[in-house]
Amino acid sequence: MRSNTTKPDSLQPAAEMAVDLFDNWFDPIESEVRARARGFIEELIRGELDDALARPRYGRSQGAGNEGRAGVTGHRHGSRTRSLTGTFGPIEIAVPRARLATPEGKTAEWKSQALRAYQRRTLAADALIASTYLAGTNTRRVRRALAALFGGTVGKDTVSRTWRKVKSDWDAWNSRSLAAEPIVRLILDGTVVRVRLDRKATSISLLIVLGVRMDGQKVLLAIKSMGGESAEAWRTVLNDLIKRGLRRPEFLIVDGAPGLDKAIASVWDGVPVQRCTVHKHRNLLAHAPERLHDEITADYNDMIYATTPEEIAVRRKAFIRKWRLKHRAVADSLEEAGDRLFTFARLPPSQWRSLRTTNAIERLHEEFKRRIKTQTVLPSADTAAMLFWALLASGQINMRKVDGWQTLATKPIDQPIDLVA
C-alpha cells in the first residue's frame, strides 16, 4: 500500500530546491536594485531643484524676509509621488515641488527637466518595448514577454502608444531638414541583412551614410533599405540627402562599390574620394592563394601605414613591381583602386587614421548584427532600417569624434601624391 506521507525537505527534488534557493536569493537583490534606482533618481531631481533655487534643501537666506539678496528665486512646498517604469521595473518616486519667481513678479510651478511632465517610462524602457516589437512580434506578445520585467505595468495599449511614438520619430528623422547641419565629410557603406518578403527570406542591402560635422562629431544622416548597392539605389539615397538641404561635402570615404562611385560622379563630381583601405586589403587577399596572405598583408601595411606621402609613393611602386612578377592579379587589384586609395595623404597626417577606412560604419554594422544575431531573418525591410536607427537614437550606441578633428578646416591639397609606377 502506497504511503501519502509527505517527503521531508531533504528528499525534495534538486530542481525544486534550486528554484526556491534562487527565488529567495534574487528577491532581496531585485528590491535593492529598485531602491538604489529610486534613490538615485530622487537625488538627481533634488539636485536639479537646488540649482533652480540657488540653495540646498533646508538652506536659509542671509536675512529673514530678505530672500532676494540671498539669490533665492522661489520656495519649496512639499512633494508628490509619481510612478516610473524603467528596465529596473516599476518604482514610486517622491518628486519635490516648488514655486519660482517670474520676471513679472508672480510665481510659477517648477518643472523638472530630468523627469518630464507626464513621463511614465524611461527612454531605455521605451527602447526595450519598441525593440521587442520590432523583433517581429505583436503587441499582446510583447506585453506577455515583458510582464515579469515591468511587473505587469506595461499593457497592450502602452506597447501600441510606444510603438506609434517610435514610428513617428522615425518618420520625422527621415524627413528632417539637413540645411543647418555643418557637414564637411561623408562616410558611405552598405551591409546585407536577411528579411522576410512575401513570406520568404530575402537578402537586402542597408545603405548607410554617416556625416562628420565641422567639430569632428559623427552623425547618422541616412539609412535606407534597398534591393542592392546599384548606382540607382545609391543615387536615390544621395538625391534624398540633397533634397533635404545637405550641402556639397568636402571629402568622401567609400567602400569601393562600383554603383556608389557612379552615383557620386552624377551628383558630386570633383569631390575628393577615399577608397577604404580595409576593403581593398580584402580584395587583394581574394586574388591570391592563402599561403601568400601574410606576405601580401605585410607589404600592404608597410605602404598604407607609411608616415609621409613620399614614403607611401615609394612603397606603392615597390609593391606593384614585386607583385607583378610574383602574382600579377594582386598588383592589378591594387592598380584598379588608383589614386583614390591614397587620397588621405592629401590631408594632415593627424587625420589619416579616420580617413583611410569606412570603419566608423563597419563598427555600427558589427554592433547591429550582434544585437540581431538570434534572429536569422528580420520581419521586414523597414524593420531592419528602423532597428539600426533605434540603436543610435536610443543611445545604445554612441559615436565619438573622428581622429584629427582639430584640423578638419584644412583643405586637401590640389594634387595627389605621385602614384606612377
Side-chain angles (χ1 to χ4, degrees):
M1 182 176 180
R2 179 177 296 178
S3 173
N4 292 326
T5 304
T6 303
K7 294 182 180 180
D9 291 342
S10 59
L11 297 180
Q12 288 184 8
E16 293 181 12
M17 293 180 66
V19 170
D20 291 341
L21 180 62
F22 181 79
D23 288 342
N24 292 335
W25 169 81
F26 185 75
D27 286 344
I29 296 231
E30 182 181 24
S31 299
E32 178 67 15
V33 169
R34 293 188 183 185
R36 286 181 179 271
R38 181 189 304 110
F40 174 80
I41 295 172
E42 290 179 347
E43 183 63 29
L44 179 67
I45 298 174
R46 284 197 294 267
E48 184 185 4
L49 180 56
D50 288 347
D51 290 341
L53 292 174
R55 64 173 180 175
R57 192 180 184 189
Y58 306 122
R60 301 296 182 183
S61 61
Q62 293 179 356
N66 196 12
E67 292 186 347
R69 292 184 183 178
V72 178
T73 58
H75 62 276
R76 293 176 173 83
H77 62 104
S79 64
R80 64 177 178 273
T81 301
R82 284 185 55 178
S83 299
L84 182 68
T85 298
T87 53
F88 41 74
I91 58 174
E92 298 290 324
I93 300 170
V95 180
R97 303 183 66 184
R99 295 196 69 82
L100 305 182
T102 65
E104 295 78 18
K106 300 180 180 180
T107 62
E109 186 74 16
W110 172 75
K111 295 181 180 179
S112 170
Q113 298 300 312
L115 185 64
R116 303 183 306 278
Y118 307 111
Q119 182 180 351
R120 294 293 179 265
R121 295 175 305 280
T122 65
L123 294 178
D126 280 349
L128 181 59
I129 294 171
S131 62
T132 307
Y133 191 96
L134 281 167
T137 186
N138 57 38
T139 55
R140 186 176 293 104
R141 289 176 179 172
V142 171
R143 175 177 56 82
R144 291 174 181 171
L146 300 178
L149 176 61
F150 293 131
T153 59
V154 173
K156 181 180 176 182
D157 291 342
T158 299
V159 175
S160 296
R161 285 194 301 270
T162 302
W163 168 246
R164 286 195 297 269
K165 175 64 167 59
V166 172
K167 182 64 167 61
S168 175
D169 289 346
W170 162 249
D171 291 338
W173 182 83
N174 271 312
S175 60
R176 75 199 187 287
S177 172
L178 300 175
E181 281 283 8
I183 301 298
V184 296
R185 183 186 301 172
L186 295 182
I187 309 170
L188 308 98
D189 199 358
T191 189
V192 176
V193 295
R194 300 273 288 173
V195 302
R196 195 169 300 282
L197 293 176
D198 294 331
R199 299 182 180 181
K200 294 182 179 180
T202 307
S203 294
I204 65 162
S205 293
L206 292 182
L207 306 187
I208 317 293
V209 181
L210 284 186
V212 178
R213 295 181 176 134
M214 292 180 65
D215 64 355
Q217 181 60 53
K218 296 190 288 286
V219 56
L220 183 65
L221 295 179
I223 172 169
K224 300 288 185 183
S225 57
M226 308 295 283
E229 294 192 53
S230 66
E232 292 73 18
W234 271 113
R235 194 177 294 115
T236 297
V237 175
L238 299 184
N239 285 337
D240 179 65
L241 292 174
I242 295 170
K243 181 180 178 181
R244 290 192 281 130
L246 182 69
R247 290 175 286 181
R248 180 183 175 92
E250 299 175 3
F251 199 93
L252 301 169
I253 307 172
V254 303
D255 60 0
L260 177 54
D261 287 341
K262 292 179 182 178
I264 289 173
S266 69
V267 297
W268 289 320
D269 190 30
V271 174
V273 177
Q274 169 65 44
R275 281 275 298 269
C276 176
T277 58
V278 172
H279 282 79
K280 175 47 67 178
H281 180 219
R282 295 171 187 162
N283 293 154
L284 297 181
L285 298 183
H287 283 84
E290 188 174 352
R291 65 181 178 82
L292 296 177
H293 285 189
D294 288 345
E295 188 176 356
I296 293 171
T297 297
D299 292 346
Y300 184 76
N301 288 343
D302 283 345
M303 170 182 59
I304 293 298
Y305 297 110
T307 57
T308 67
E310 293 74 21
E311 289 181 12
I312 293 174
V314 169
R315 295 179 186 182
R316 186 261 179 180
K317 293 175 183 178
F319 185 100
I320 292 179
R321 281 196 300 268
K322 172 181 176 178
W323 288 98
R324 271 179 181 164
L325 298 173
K326 191 160 189 172
H327 196 77
R328 188 177 183 88
V330 174
D332 290 344
S333 179
L334 184 73
E335 288 187 302
E336 176 273 329
D339 295 356
R340 288 187 169 190
L341 192 63
F342 305 92
T343 311
F344 68 87
R346 297 166 58 185
L347 283 161
S350 61
Q351 296 187 41
W352 287 6
R353 182 178 179 181
S354 61
L355 288 171
R356 281 189 293 244
T357 72
T358 58
N359 278 356
I361 292 183
E362 292 286 340
R363 283 191 286 269
L364 295 182
H365 289 168
E366 291 171 3
E367 185 64 19
F368 172 67
K369 290 183 177 181
R370 184 181 71 81
R371 303 294 182 99
I372 65 169
K373 65 181 179 181
T374 57
Q375 299 170 253
T376 55
V377 181
L378 293 172
S380 71
D382 287 340
T383 290
M386 286 185 67
L387 268 174
F388 196 106
W389 163 79
L391 290 176
L392 288 163
S394 64
Q396 296 182 60
I397 298 178
N398 294 310
M399 294 187 291
R400 62 177 181 85
K401 291 185 177 183
V402 297
D403 294 313
W405 62 269
Q406 297 89 341
T407 59
L408 276 178
T410 304
K411 306 300 181 184
I413 61 175
D414 292 335
Q415 297 298 322
I417 62 175
D418 180 17
L419 298 179
V420 179

